[in-house]
Amino acid sequence: MIKVLFVCLGNICRSPMAQFVFQQMVDNAGLCDKFEIDSAGTEGYNEMAHEGIHYGTREILTQMKVPFSEHYSRRIRKEDYNKFNYIIAMDESNVEDIQALIGKDKDGKISMLLDYTKTPRKIKDPWYTGNFDETYWDVVDGCQSFLEFLKKQGKV
């Protein structure tokens, strides 16, 4: 079982978007029994408020016909490092925050989603930009490239 954790700042926009986009790709490829997919945030304020997916994320997922379920924000925990094979952040700040929590990435599990693409860069946070379309297409590109990476590595 390949266990993937997508991580952003608040776990209401980018990381749940990646979780559900990647889940759809995995399901469409007939690989759902090979994956466990989740998401988390580096900050706990949305978890404390029991926040769900941002309405902008809900709208773009609905528009693009990506199935999603109710999801409540949660903060990444130190034990997630041992549980997940891949911890995939959306930007450099997320990576730094993850490393501050878990310490040294001794197993090389932490990466950024767009590192798997031909144009590595951060995924902008639509909470600040308001551009959920741009974020969606970056997430799709990253998830497709990550799945191709896993196939090339012979993991699926």
Side-chain angles (χ1 to χ4, degrees), residues 37-86:
I37 305 165
D38 199 0
S39 64
T42 59
E43 295 296 329
Y45 46 80
N46 286 325
E47 181 178 37
M48 289 186 300
H50 201 62
E51 289 292 327
I53 300 171
H54 188 281
Y55 69 88
T57 298
R58 287 179 181 274
E59 288 176 8
I60 193 72
L61 292 175
T62 300
Q63 177 186 344
M64 302 311 288
K65 297 181 178 21
V66 176
F68 61 93
S69 57
E70 192 54 61
H71 168 85
Y72 292 103
S73 174
R74 77 169 184 91
R75 187 172 187 201
I76 188 170
R77 294 165 179 78
K78 192 168 186 157
E79 58 267 19
D80 286 331
Y81 189 79
N82 292 324
K83 178 179 179 181
F84 291 92
N85 307 103
Y86 296 91

mmCIF file of all heavy atoms in Angstrom, residues 37-86:
data_model
loop_
_atom_site.group_PDB
_atom_site.id
_atom_site.type_symbol
_atom_site.label_atom_id
_atom_site.label_comp_id
_atom_site.label_asym_id
_atom_site.label_seq_id
_atom_site.Cartn_x
_atom_site.Cartn_y
_atom_site.Cartn_z
ATOM 1 N N ILE A 37 -4.789 7.740 0.699
ATOM 2 C CA ILE A 37 -4.535 9.143 0.381
ATOM 3 C C ILE A 37 -5.227 10.023 1.421
ATOM 4 O O ILE A 37 -6.404 9.824 1.725
ATOM 5 C CB ILE A 37 -5.053 9.485 -1.029
ATOM 6 C CG1 ILE A 37 -4.439 8.534 -2.060
ATOM 7 C CG2 ILE A 37 -4.759 10.944 -1.375
ATOM 8 C CD1 ILE A 37 -5.143 8.530 -3.402
ATOM 9 N N ASP A 38 -4.492 10.995 1.946
ATOM 10 C CA ASP A 38 -5.041 11.896 2.952
ATOM 11 C C ASP A 38 -4.416 13.273 2.757
ATOM 12 O O ASP A 38 -3.541 13.458 1.898
ATOM 13 C CB ASP A 38 -4.736 11.339 4.354
ATOM 14 C CG ASP A 38 -5.622 11.926 5.446
ATOM 15 O OD1 ASP A 38 -6.488 12.779 5.148
ATOM 16 O OD2 ASP A 38 -5.444 11.536 6.611
ATOM 17 N N SER A 39 -4.845 14.224 3.569
ATOM 18 C CA SER A 39 -4.259 15.562 3.528
ATOM 19 C C SER A 39 -4.240 16.155 4.928
ATOM 20 O O SER A 39 -4.979 15.721 5.818
ATOM 21 C CB SER A 39 -5.032 16.471 2.567
ATOM 22 O OG SER A 39 -6.363 16.672 3.007
ATOM 23 N N ALA A 40 -3.379 17.155 5.105
ATOM 24 C CA ALA A 40 -3.232 17.819 6.396
ATOM 25 C C ALA A 40 -2.676 19.217 6.163
ATOM 26 O O ALA A 40 -2.226 19.554 5.062
ATOM 27 C CB ALA A 40 -2.296 17.022 7.301
ATOM 28 N N GLY A 41 -2.700 20.013 7.214
ATOM 29 C CA GLY A 41 -2.140 21.358 7.166
ATOM 30 C C GLY A 41 -0.991 21.487 8.147
ATOM 31 O O GLY A 41 -0.855 20.688 9.077
ATOM 32 N N THR A 42 -0.172 22.508 7.955
ATOM 33 C CA THR A 42 0.932 22.734 8.871
ATOM 34 C C THR A 42 0.512 23.587 10.059
ATOM 35 O O THR A 42 1.221 23.638 11.059
ATOM 36 C CB THR A 42 2.131 23.401 8.168
ATOM 37 O OG1 THR A 42 1.705 24.650 7.613
ATOM 38 C CG2 THR A 42 2.680 22.498 7.071
ATOM 39 N N GLU A 43 -0.616 24.256 9.951
ATOM 40 C CA GLU A 43 -1.145 25.069 11.048
ATOM 41 C C GLU A 43 -2.412 24.430 11.585
ATOM 42 O O GLU A 43 -3.142 23.777 10.847
ATOM 43 C CB GLU A 43 -1.445 26.494 10.573
ATOM 44 C CG GLU A 43 -0.205 27.257 10.162
ATOM 45 C CD GLU A 43 0.765 27.485 11.314
ATOM 46 O OE1 GLU A 43 0.322 27.612 12.465
ATOM 47 O OE2 GLU A 43 1.976 27.541 11.053
ATOM 48 N N GLY A 44 -2.680 24.634 12.864
ATOM 49 C CA GLY A 44 -3.809 23.975 13.503
ATOM 50 C C GLY A 44 -5.045 24.828 13.687
ATOM 51 O O GLY A 44 -6.050 24.352 14.206
ATOM 52 N N TYR A 45 -5.033 26.089 13.214
ATOM 53 C CA TYR A 45 -6.181 26.957 13.504
ATOM 54 C C TYR A 45 -7.467 26.494 12.831
ATOM 55 O O TYR A 45 -8.545 26.616 13.401
ATOM 56 C CB TYR A 45 -5.889 28.421 13.170
ATOM 57 C CG TYR A 45 -5.220 28.679 11.844
ATOM 58 C CD1 TYR A 45 -5.935 28.702 10.660
ATOM 59 C CD2 TYR A 45 -3.842 28.920 11.803
ATOM 60 C CE1 TYR A 45 -5.303 28.947 9.459
ATOM 61 C CE2 TYR A 45 -3.213 29.154 10.602
ATOM 62 C CZ TYR A 45 -3.945 29.177 9.421
ATOM 63 O OH TYR A 45 -3.332 29.407 8.219
ATOM 64 N N ASN A 46 -7.397 25.936 11.635
ATOM 65 C CA ASN A 46 -8.612 25.432 10.985
ATOM 66 C C ASN A 46 -9.107 24.153 11.657
ATOM 67 O O ASN A 46 -10.308 23.901 11.716
ATOM 68 C CB ASN A 46 -8.392 25.198 9.494
ATOM 69 C CG ASN A 46 -8.322 26.489 8.721
ATOM 70 O OD1 ASN A 46 -9.009 27.453 9.036
ATOM 71 N ND2 ASN A 46 -7.470 26.534 7.713
ATOM 72 N N GLU A 47 -8.181 23.353 12.149
ATOM 73 C CA GLU A 47 -8.572 22.141 12.879
ATOM 74 C C GLU A 47 -9.329 22.523 14.145
ATOM 75 O O GLU A 47 -10.375 21.941 14.457
ATOM 76 C CB GLU A 47 -7.339 21.300 13.223
ATOM 77 C CG GLU A 47 -7.676 20.026 13.967
ATOM 78 C CD GLU A 47 -6.440 19.179 14.257
ATOM 79 O OE1 GLU A 47 -5.365 19.742 14.552
ATOM 80 O OE2 GLU A 47 -6.561 17.945 14.175
ATOM 81 N N MET A 48 -8.833 23.518 14.857
ATOM 82 C CA MET A 48 -9.499 23.949 16.085
ATOM 83 C C MET A 48 -10.899 24.483 15.797
ATOM 84 O O MET A 48 -11.812 24.303 16.593
ATOM 85 C CB MET A 48 -8.662 25.019 16.800
ATOM 86 C CG MET A 48 -7.395 24.458 17.421
ATOM 87 S SD MET A 48 -6.478 25.662 18.415
ATOM 88 C CE MET A 48 -6.101 26.923 17.221
ATOM 89 N N ALA A 49 -11.069 25.121 14.639
ATOM 90 C CA ALA A 49 -12.377 25.673 14.262
ATOM 91 C C ALA A 49 -13.251 24.634 13.556
ATOM 92 O O ALA A 49 -14.377 24.941 13.178
ATOM 93 C CB ALA A 49 -12.189 26.891 13.370
ATOM 94 N N HIS A 50 -12.713 23.427 13.352
ATOM 95 C CA HIS A 50 -13.425 22.338 12.662
ATOM 96 C C HIS A 50 -13.875 22.781 11.266
ATOM 97 O O HIS A 50 -15.018 22.577 10.850
ATOM 98 C CB HIS A 50 -14.606 21.860 13.519
ATOM 99 C CG HIS A 50 -15.068 20.474 13.180
ATOM 100 N ND1 HIS A 50 -14.257 19.365 13.312
ATOM 101 C CD2 HIS A 50 -16.254 20.015 12.703
ATOM 102 C CE1 HIS A 50 -14.932 18.281 12.928
ATOM 103 N NE2 HIS A 50 -16.131 18.661 12.572
ATOM 104 N N GLU A 51 -12.946 23.421 10.565
ATOM 105 C CA GLU A 51 -13.221 23.945 9.229
ATOM 106 C C GLU A 51 -13.255 22.829 8.189
ATOM 107 O O GLU A 51 -12.443 21.907 8.231
ATOM 108 C CB GLU A 51 -12.154 24.961 8.810
ATOM 109 C CG GLU A 51 -12.227 26.271 9.541
ATOM 110 C CD GLU A 51 -13.456 27.097 9.202
ATOM 111 O OE1 GLU A 51 -13.936 27.054 8.053
ATOM 112 O OE2 GLU A 51 -13.949 27.785 10.110
ATOM 113 N N GLY A 52 -14.168 22.953 7.250
ATOM 114 C CA GLY A 52 -14.252 22.042 6.118
ATOM 115 C C GLY A 52 -13.503 22.610 4.926
ATOM 116 O O GLY A 52 -12.759 23.592 5.039
ATOM 117 N N ILE A 53 -13.736 22.027 3.779
ATOM 118 C CA ILE A 53 -13.097 22.484 2.539
ATOM 119 C C ILE A 53 -13.599 23.888 2.201
ATOM 120 O O ILE A 53 -14.784 24.182 2.307
ATOM 121 C CB ILE A 53 -13.426 21.520 1.384
ATOM 122 C CG1 ILE A 53 -12.920 20.114 1.696
ATOM 123 C CG2 ILE A 53 -12.817 22.012 0.077
ATOM 124 C CD1 ILE A 53 -13.395 19.079 0.691
ATOM 125 N N HIS A 54 -12.687 24.740 1.778
ATOM 126 C CA HIS A 54 -13.019 26.107 1.370
ATOM 127 C C HIS A 54 -14.038 26.070 0.229
ATOM 128 O O HIS A 54 -13.953 25.210 -0.658
ATOM 129 C CB HIS A 54 -11.736 26.818 0.925
ATOM 130 C CG HIS A 54 -11.899 28.270 0.656
ATOM 131 N ND1 HIS A 54 -12.434 28.745 -0.513
ATOM 132 C CD2 HIS A 54 -11.602 29.358 1.417
ATOM 133 C CE1 HIS A 54 -12.452 30.069 -0.479
ATOM 134 N NE2 HIS A 54 -11.949 30.456 0.691
ATOM 135 N N TYR A 55 -14.958 27.018 0.225
ATOM 136 C CA TYR A 55 -16.011 27.030 -0.804
ATOM 137 C C TYR A 55 -15.429 27.145 -2.209
ATOM 138 O O TYR A 55 -15.975 26.582 -3.166
ATOM 139 C CB TYR A 55 -17.033 28.141 -0.536
ATOM 140 C CG TYR A 55 -16.503 29.537 -0.726
ATOM 141 C CD1 TYR A 55 -16.535 30.163 -1.967
ATOM 142 C CD2 TYR A 55 -15.949 30.242 0.345
ATOM 143 C CE1 TYR A 55 -16.034 31.441 -2.142
ATOM 144 C CE2 TYR A 55 -15.459 31.515 0.182
ATOM 145 C CZ TYR A 55 -15.502 32.115 -1.070
ATOM 146 O OH TYR A 55 -14.996 33.375 -1.244
ATOM 147 N N GLY A 56 -14.303 27.826 -2.371
ATOM 148 C CA GLY A 56 -13.676 27.935 -3.688
ATOM 149 C C GLY A 56 -13.149 26.587 -4.177
ATOM 150 O O GLY A 56 -13.236 26.260 -5.363
ATOM 151 N N THR A 57 -12.626 25.794 -3.266
ATOM 152 C CA THR A 57 -12.161 24.443 -3.598
ATOM 153 C C THR A 57 -13.358 23.569 -3.940
ATOM 154 O O THR A 57 -13.326 22.817 -4.926
ATOM 155 C CB THR A 57 -11.345 23.846 -2.442
ATOM 156 O OG1 THR A 57 -10.184 24.661 -2.227
ATOM 157 C CG2 THR A 57 -10.917 22.417 -2.732
ATOM 158 N N ARG A 58 -14.416 23.671 -3.158
ATOM 159 C CA ARG A 58 -15.642 22.910 -3.451
ATOM 160 C C ARG A 58 -16.174 23.239 -4.847
ATOM 161 O O ARG A 58 -16.541 22.345 -5.605
ATOM 162 C CB ARG A 58 -16.742 23.230 -2.433
ATOM 163 C CG ARG A 58 -16.529 22.655 -1.078
ATOM 164 C CD ARG A 58 -17.697 23.073 -0.163
ATOM 165 N NE ARG A 58 -17.517 22.548 1.163
ATOM 166 C CZ ARG A 58 -17.902 21.338 1.532
ATOM 167 N NH1 ARG A 58 -18.483 20.550 0.684
ATOM 168 N NH2 ARG A 58 -17.680 20.930 2.759
ATOM 169 N N GLU A 59 -16.183 24.529 -5.172
ATOM 170 C CA GLU A 59 -16.715 24.971 -6.462
ATOM 171 C C GLU A 59 -15.901 24.425 -7.627
ATOM 172 O O GLU A 59 -16.466 23.926 -8.599
ATOM 173 C CB GLU A 59 -16.775 26.490 -6.517
ATOM 174 C CG GLU A 59 -17.873 27.071 -5.653
ATOM 175 C CD GLU A 59 -17.873 28.595 -5.631
ATOM 176 O OE1 GLU A 59 -17.110 29.230 -6.401
ATOM 177 O OE2 GLU A 59 -18.644 29.160 -4.829
ATOM 178 N N ILE A 60 -14.573 24.514 -7.546
ATOM 179 C CA ILE A 60 -13.754 24.042 -8.668
ATOM 180 C C ILE A 60 -13.819 22.522 -8.780
ATOM 181 O O ILE A 60 -13.882 21.987 -9.895
ATOM 182 C CB ILE A 60 -12.294 24.560 -8.597
ATOM 183 C CG1 ILE A 60 -11.553 24.324 -9.932
ATOM 184 C CG2 ILE A 60 -11.517 23.923 -7.471
ATOM 185 C CD1 ILE A 60 -11.978 25.188 -11.061
ATOM 186 N N LEU A 61 -13.841 21.811 -7.668
ATOM 187 C CA LEU A 61 -13.952 20.355 -7.739
ATOM 188 C C LEU A 61 -15.300 19.950 -8.339
ATOM 189 O O LEU A 61 -15.362 19.040 -9.172
ATOM 190 C CB LEU A 61 -13.768 19.725 -6.356
ATOM 191 C CG LEU A 61 -12.374 19.828 -5.740
ATOM 192 C CD1 LEU A 61 -12.373 19.273 -4.314
ATOM 193 C CD2 LEU A 61 -11.324 19.134 -6.588
ATOM 194 N N THR A 62 -16.349 20.628 -7.967
ATOM 195 C CA THR A 62 -17.678 20.349 -8.534
ATOM 196 C C THR A 62 -17.698 20.657 -10.022
ATOM 197 O O THR A 62 -18.172 19.850 -10.832
ATOM 198 C CB THR A 62 -18.753 21.166 -7.791
ATOM 199 O OG1 THR A 62 -18.734 20.806 -6.409
ATOM 200 C CG2 THR A 62 -20.134 20.906 -8.369
ATOM 201 N N GLN A 63 -17.170 21.809 -10.382
ATOM 202 C CA GLN A 63 -17.122 22.226 -11.791
ATOM 203 C C GLN A 63 -16.347 21.228 -12.644
ATOM 204 O O GLN A 63 -16.745 20.916 -13.770
ATOM 205 C CB GLN A 63 -16.477 23.605 -11.873
ATOM 206 C CG GLN A 63 -16.299 24.144 -13.276
ATOM 207 C CD GLN A 63 -15.520 25.461 -13.265
ATOM 208 O OE1 GLN A 63 -15.354 26.126 -12.237
ATOM 209 N NE2 GLN A 63 -15.014 25.827 -14.412
ATOM 210 N N MET A 64 -15.252 20.682 -12.105
ATOM 211 C CA MET A 64 -14.404 19.769 -12.858
ATOM 212 C C MET A 64 -14.805 18.307 -12.658
ATOM 213 O O MET A 64 -14.122 17.402 -13.115
ATOM 214 C CB MET A 64 -12.939 19.974 -12.460
ATOM 215 C CG MET A 64 -12.445 21.402 -12.676
ATOM 216 S SD MET A 64 -12.817 22.105 -14.306
ATOM 217 C CE MET A 64 -11.708 21.184 -15.314
ATOM 218 N N LYS A 65 -15.934 18.101 -11.972
ATOM 219 C CA LYS A 65 -16.491 16.756 -11.750
ATOM 220 C C LYS A 65 -15.518 15.822 -11.011
ATOM 221 O O LYS A 65 -15.399 14.650 -11.336
ATOM 222 C CB LYS A 65 -16.958 16.143 -13.065
ATOM 223 C CG LYS A 65 -18.087 16.931 -13.715
ATOM 224 C CD LYS A 65 -18.562 16.309 -14.987
ATOM 225 C CE LYS A 65 -19.708 17.006 -15.656
ATOM 226 N NZ LYS A 65 -20.030 18.361 -15.408
ATOM 227 N N VAL A 66 -14.851 16.391 -10.022
ATOM 228 C CA VAL A 66 -13.968 15.609 -9.154
ATOM 229 C C VAL A 66 -14.762 15.267 -7.893
ATOM 230 O O VAL A 66 -15.157 16.173 -7.152
ATOM 231 C CB VAL A 66 -12.694 16.398 -8.770
ATOM 232 C CG1 VAL A 66 -11.843 15.596 -7.792
ATOM 233 C CG2 VAL A 66 -11.900 16.771 -10.011
ATOM 234 N N PRO A 67 -15.019 13.992 -7.658
ATOM 235 C CA PRO A 67 -15.777 13.627 -6.451
ATOM 236 C C PRO A 67 -14.996 13.966 -5.183
ATOM 237 O O PRO A 67 -13.782 13.810 -5.130
ATOM 238 C CB PRO A 67 -15.959 12.107 -6.565
ATOM 239 C CG PRO A 67 -15.401 11.699 -7.873
ATOM 240 C CD PRO A 67 -14.627 12.830 -8.451
ATOM 241 N N PHE A 68 -15.711 14.446 -4.197
ATOM 242 C CA PHE A 68 -15.091 14.713 -2.895
ATOM 243 C C PHE A 68 -16.104 14.421 -1.809
ATOM 244 O O PHE A 68 -17.304 14.418 -2.035
ATOM 245 C CB PHE A 68 -14.570 16.155 -2.796
ATOM 246 C CG PHE A 68 -15.625 17.218 -2.937
ATOM 247 C CD1 PHE A 68 -16.251 17.737 -1.812
ATOM 248 C CD2 PHE A 68 -15.980 17.704 -4.190
ATOM 249 C CE1 PHE A 68 -17.215 18.725 -1.938
ATOM 250 C CE2 PHE A 68 -16.937 18.686 -4.327
ATOM 251 C CZ PHE A 68 -17.564 19.199 -3.196
ATOM 252 N N SER A 69 -15.575 14.138 -0.636
ATOM 253 C CA SER A 69 -16.425 13.869 0.512
ATOM 254 C C SER A 69 -16.193 14.972 1.539
ATOM 255 O O SER A 69 -15.293 15.798 1.381
ATOM 256 C CB SER A 69 -16.101 12.498 1.107
ATOM 257 O OG SER A 69 -14.741 12.437 1.462
ATOM 258 N N GLU A 70 -16.986 14.954 2.576
ATOM 259 C CA GLU A 70 -16.777 15.929 3.639
ATOM 260 C C GLU A 70 -15.384 15.726 4.211
ATOM 261 O O GLU A 70 -14.927 14.602 4.375
ATOM 262 C CB GLU A 70 -17.826 15.761 4.736
ATOM 263 C CG GLU A 70 -17.849 16.899 5.715
ATOM 264 C CD GLU A 70 -18.015 18.264 5.072
ATOM 265 O OE1 GLU A 70 -19.051 18.495 4.405
ATOM 266 O OE2 GLU A 70 -17.110 19.094 5.216
ATOM 267 N N HIS A 71 -14.730 16.810 4.455
ATOM 268 C CA HIS A 71 -13.348 16.767 4.929
ATOM 269 C C HIS A 71 -13.172 17.893 5.937
ATOM 270 O O HIS A 71 -13.561 19.019 5.670
ATOM 271 C CB HIS A 71 -12.390 16.974 3.748
ATOM 272 C CG HIS A 71 -10.980 17.231 4.151
ATOM 273 N ND1 HIS A 71 -10.101 16.229 4.411
ATOM 274 C CD2 HIS A 71 -10.311 18.391 4.369
ATOM 275 C CE1 HIS A 71 -8.933 16.752 4.759
ATOM 276 N NE2 HIS A 71 -9.049 18.057 4.743
ATOM 277 N N TYR A 72 -12.614 17.577 7.078
ATOM 278 C CA TYR A 72 -12.326 18.606 8.067
ATOM 279 C C TYR A 72 -10.831 18.741 8.231
ATOM 280 O O TYR A 72 -10.106 17.746 8.281
ATOM 281 C CB TYR A 72 -12.991 18.270 9.411
ATOM 282 C CG TYR A 72 -14.488 18.370 9.313
ATOM 283 C CD1 TYR A 72 -15.267 17.230 9.219
ATOM 284 C CD2 TYR A 72 -15.119 19.616 9.270
ATOM 285 C CE1 TYR A 72 -16.651 17.323 9.096
ATOM 286 C CE2 TYR A 72 -16.498 19.716 9.138
ATOM 287 C CZ TYR A 72 -17.262 18.567 9.060
ATOM 288 O OH TYR A 72 -18.611 18.673 8.921
ATOM 289 N N SER A 73 -10.405 19.972 8.297
ATOM 290 C CA SER A 73 -8.991 20.276 8.417
ATOM 291 C C SER A 73 -8.380 19.572 9.628
ATOM 292 O O SER A 73 -9.002 19.447 10.675
ATOM 293 C CB SER A 73 -8.816 21.785 8.578
ATOM 294 O OG SER A 73 -7.478 22.108 8.836
ATOM 295 N N ARG A 74 -7.161 19.105 9.411
ATOM 296 C CA ARG A 74 -6.387 18.571 10.521
ATOM 297 C C ARG A 74 -4.942 19.006 10.347
ATOM 298 O O ARG A 74 -4.469 19.235 9.233
ATOM 299 C CB ARG A 74 -6.484 17.050 10.618
ATOM 300 C CG ARG A 74 -5.643 16.277 9.610
ATOM 301 C CD ARG A 74 -5.612 14.792 9.980
ATOM 302 N NE ARG A 74 -4.760 14.006 9.131
ATOM 303 C CZ ARG A 74 -3.469 13.757 9.364
ATOM 304 N NH1 ARG A 74 -2.854 14.275 10.402
ATOM 305 N NH2 ARG A 74 -2.770 12.987 8.553
ATOM 306 N N ARG A 75 -4.259 19.127 11.460
ATOM 307 C CA ARG A 75 -2.852 19.493 11.429
ATOM 308 C C ARG A 75 -2.009 18.236 11.291
ATOM 309 O O ARG A 75 -2.331 17.185 11.866
ATOM 310 C CB ARG A 75 -2.485 20.213 12.718
ATOM 311 C CG ARG A 75 -1.082 20.770 12.670
ATOM 312 C CD ARG A 75 -0.791 21.637 13.858
ATOM 313 N NE ARG A 75 0.507 22.263 13.657
ATOM 314 C CZ ARG A 75 1.236 22.746 14.620
ATOM 315 N NH1 ARG A 75 0.793 22.715 15.863
ATOM 316 N NH2 ARG A 75 2.398 23.284 14.359
ATOM 317 N N ILE A 76 -0.936 18.331 10.530
ATOM 318 C CA ILE A 76 0.003 17.214 10.410
ATOM 319 C C ILE A 76 0.569 16.911 11.802
ATOM 320 O O ILE A 76 0.771 17.817 12.611
ATOM 321 C CB ILE A 76 1.125 17.526 9.384
ATOM 322 C CG1 ILE A 76 1.968 16.276 9.135
ATOM 323 C CG2 ILE A 76 1.929 18.736 9.774
ATOM 324 C CD1 ILE A 76 2.936 16.405 7.965
ATOM 325 N N ARG A 77 0.789 15.647 12.045
ATOM 326 C CA ARG A 77 1.317 15.199 13.330
ATOM 327 C C ARG A 77 2.667 14.510 13.119
ATOM 328 O O ARG A 77 2.924 13.962 12.050
ATOM 329 C CB ARG A 77 0.333 14.232 13.990
ATOM 330 C CG ARG A 77 -0.975 14.910 14.387
ATOM 331 C CD ARG A 77 -2.074 13.905 14.689
ATOM 332 N NE ARG A 77 -3.309 14.547 15.091
ATOM 333 C CZ ARG A 77 -4.183 15.125 14.268
ATOM 334 N NH1 ARG A 77 -3.965 15.156 12.972
ATOM 335 N NH2 ARG A 77 -5.293 15.680 14.733
ATOM 336 N N LYS A 78 3.463 14.516 14.135
ATOM 337 C CA LYS A 78 4.800 13.911 14.043
ATOM 338 C C LYS A 78 4.718 12.450 13.594
ATOM 339 O O LYS A 78 5.514 11.993 12.784
ATOM 340 C CB LYS A 78 5.517 14.038 15.387
ATOM 341 C CG LYS A 78 6.971 13.705 15.300
ATOM 342 C CD LYS A 78 7.722 14.113 16.547
ATOM 343 C CE LYS A 78 9.200 13.860 16.294
ATOM 344 N NZ LYS A 78 10.054 14.652 17.136
ATOM 345 N N GLU A 79 3.713 11.714 14.081
ATOM 346 C CA GLU A 79 3.583 10.296 13.719
ATOM 347 C C GLU A 79 3.211 10.076 12.250
ATOM 348 O O GLU A 79 3.359 8.975 11.726
ATOM 349 C CB GLU A 79 2.589 9.576 14.645
ATOM 350 C CG GLU A 79 1.197 10.148 14.668
ATOM 351 C CD GLU A 79 0.961 11.185 15.769
ATOM 352 O OE1 GLU A 79 1.929 11.762 16.313
ATOM 353 O OE2 GLU A 79 -0.214 11.425 16.064
ATOM 354 N N ASP A 80 2.749 11.140 11.575
ATOM 355 C CA ASP A 80 2.448 11.004 10.143
ATOM 356 C C ASP A 80 3.696 10.657 9.341
ATOM 357 O O ASP A 80 3.614 10.002 8.304
ATOM 358 C CB ASP A 80 1.815 12.284 9.585
ATOM 359 C CG ASP A 80 0.377 12.473 10.028
ATOM 360 O OD1 ASP A 80 -0.319 11.460 10.279
ATOM 361 O OD2 ASP A 80 -0.063 13.636 10.124
ATOM 362 N N TYR A 81 4.848 11.084 9.823
ATOM 363 C CA TYR A 81 6.084 10.777 9.099
ATOM 364 C C TYR A 81 6.301 9.271 8.995
ATOM 365 O O TYR A 81 6.711 8.766 7.950
ATOM 366 C CB TYR A 81 7.300 11.441 9.761
ATOM 367 C CG TYR A 81 8.538 11.317 8.908
ATOM 368 C CD1 TYR A 81 8.727 12.158 7.819
ATOM 369 C CD2 TYR A 81 9.498 10.350 9.167
ATOM 370 C CE1 TYR A 81 9.850 12.034 7.015
ATOM 371 C CE2 TYR A 81 10.623 10.228 8.375
ATOM 372 C CZ TYR A 81 10.792 11.071 7.298
ATOM 373 O OH TYR A 81 11.903 10.946 6.484
ATOM 374 N N ASN A 82 6.012 8.550 10.050
ATOM 375 C CA ASN A 82 6.175 7.094 10.023
ATOM 376 C C ASN A 82 5.046 6.392 9.278
ATOM 377 O O ASN A 82 5.250 5.314 8.735
ATOM 378 C CB ASN A 82 6.273 6.546 11.447
ATOM 379 C CG ASN A 82 7.546 6.987 12.131
ATOM 380 O OD1 ASN A 82 8.595 7.100 11.506
ATOM 381 N ND2 ASN A 82 7.458 7.269 13.412
ATOM 382 N N LYS A 83 3.876 6.985 9.261
ATOM 383 C CA LYS A 83 2.712 6.356 8.632
ATOM 384 C C LYS A 83 2.730 6.458 7.106
ATOM 385 O O LYS A 83 2.340 5.521 6.414
ATOM 386 C CB LYS A 83 1.424 6.988 9.161
ATOM 387 C CG LYS A 83 0.178 6.433 8.523
ATOM 388 C CD LYS A 83 -1.088 7.044 9.067
ATOM 389 C CE LYS A 83 -2.293 6.446 8.347
ATOM 390 N NZ LYS A 83 -3.551 7.015 8.811
ATOM 391 N N PHE A 84 3.162 7.595 6.561
ATOM 392 C CA PHE A 84 3.060 7.849 5.124
ATOM 393 C C PHE A 84 4.388 7.628 4.399
ATOM 394 O O PHE A 84 5.448 7.912 4.943
ATOM 395 C CB PHE A 84 2.545 9.273 4.871
ATOM 396 C CG PHE A 84 1.110 9.441 5.268
ATOM 397 C CD1 PHE A 84 0.764 9.879 6.540
ATOM 398 C CD2 PHE A 84 0.093 9.121 4.388
ATOM 399 C CE1 PHE A 84 -0.561 10.010 6.921
ATOM 400 C CE2 PHE A 84 -1.238 9.242 4.754
ATOM 401 C CZ PHE A 84 -1.567 9.690 6.022
ATOM 402 N N ASN A 85 4.290 7.127 3.161
ATOM 403 C CA ASN A 85 5.468 6.934 2.320
ATOM 404 C C ASN A 85 5.895 8.227 1.637
ATOM 405 O O ASN A 85 7.079 8.433 1.359
ATOM 406 C CB ASN A 85 5.198 5.897 1.218
ATOM 407 C CG ASN A 85 4.670 4.601 1.746
ATOM 408 O OD1 ASN A 85 3.475 4.328 1.643
ATOM 409 N ND2 ASN A 85 5.525 3.797 2.353
ATOM 410 N N TYR A 86 4.906 9.059 1.321
ATOM 411 C CA TYR A 86 5.146 10.327 0.622
ATOM 412 C C TYR A 86 4.399 11.423 1.361
ATOM 413 O O TYR A 86 3.196 11.301 1.613
ATOM 414 C CB TYR A 86 4.660 10.272 -0.827
ATOM 415 C CG TYR A 86 5.405 9.269 -1.666
ATOM 416 C CD1 TYR A 86 4.952 7.959 -1.775
ATOM 417 C CD2 TYR A 86 6.579 9.617 -2.328
ATOM 418 C CE1 TYR A 86 5.648 7.025 -2.520
ATOM 419 C CE2 TYR A 86 7.278 8.688 -3.079
ATOM 420 C CZ TYR A 86 6.805 7.396 -3.171
ATOM 421 O OH TYR A 86 7.492 6.471 -3.910
#
